Amino acid sequence: MATILVLNGPNLNLLGTREPGVYGAATLADVEALCQATAKAHGHTATCLQSNHEGALIDALHEAGRAHRAGELIGVVFNAGGYTHTSVALHDAIKGIGAPVIEVHISNVHAREPFRNHSFLSPAAAGIVVGFGADGYRLAIEGLVERTRVQ
Ligand code: CA2
């Protein structure tokens, strides 16, 4: 058994409260329950964390890197919210930790405003899941597990 870190960035604590047409009706608690059930179905556990602060997200990625090196963690499922489109620091953190990071977006960021079309994280990510709603988190965990199995 190993851990999967499910990391959510700024404003994702507001899921299910507004903009259901864009982000769906699921709350962050619903998303985290889905991740825990998916990880458990594969014999793993999901550790879920949300922060509105860039530095806290970087600290969590660094800790994930340590756990990955110790063989305790298979990877990270990461929705960086708005920092996706702004953060060189998160790009550098993902590159630096050595653990696979799957970038997730609930909405199809490529079909939205031009400022959401670019991700600083994608070049550093091991995989990307975009536009499948909250179910994207399940798909990302499945992908991470499969990727670990075939390696
Ligand atoms: O589609 C995604 O998952 C996003 O990462 C969500 C971010 C957005 O900035 C990205 O461009 C795409 C927004 C986080 C959630 O924001 C909410 C705001 C109000 C109500 C509900 C959610």
Side-chain angles (χ1 to χ4, degrees):
M1 181 188 288
T3 299
I4 296 159
L5 173 64
V6 178
L7 189 55
N8 278 293
N11 298 310
L12 285 152
N13 53 313
L14 299 177
L15 278 178
T17 64
R18 283 187 287 130
E19 300 197 65
V22 181
Y23 298 118
T27 63
L28 182 61
D30 295 332
V31 167
E32 292 181 346
L34 172 66
C35 291
Q36 268 147 9
T38 307
K40 191 174 175 190
H42 292 281
H44 298 303
T45 58
T47 300
C48 301
L49 205 149
Q50 186 272 333
S51 177
N52 295 318
H53 304 279
E54 194 173 17
L57 296 169
I58 293 169
D59 288 344
L61 288 168
H62 290 180
E63 168 55 21
R66 184 212 59 75
H68 181 67
R69 286 191 295 281
E72 301 161 6
L73 176 135
I74 65 172
V76 182
V77 170
F78 188 20
N79 185 345
Y83 285 144
T84 303
H85 317 297
T86 64
S87 181
V88 174
L90 285 172
H91 168 105
D92 290 344
I94 292 170
K95 273 225 154 151
I97 62 170
V101 175
I102 311 298
E103 177 183 353
V104 172
H105 298 290
I106 296 165
S107 63
N108 179 359
V109 287
H110 300 289
R112 298 183 62 193
E113 304 96 320
F115 66 83
R116 294 188 205 272
N117 297 164
H118 177 262
S119 166
F120 279 94
L121 311 191
S122 295
I128 306 162
V129 180
V130 170
F132 286 92
D135 199 42
Y137 289 84
R138 179 188 65 79
L139 295 168
I141 291 173
E142 306 271 7
L144 200 51
V145 169
E146 184 62 24
R147 185 185 185 282
T148 308
R149 217 171 49 80
V150 297
Q151 271 178 351

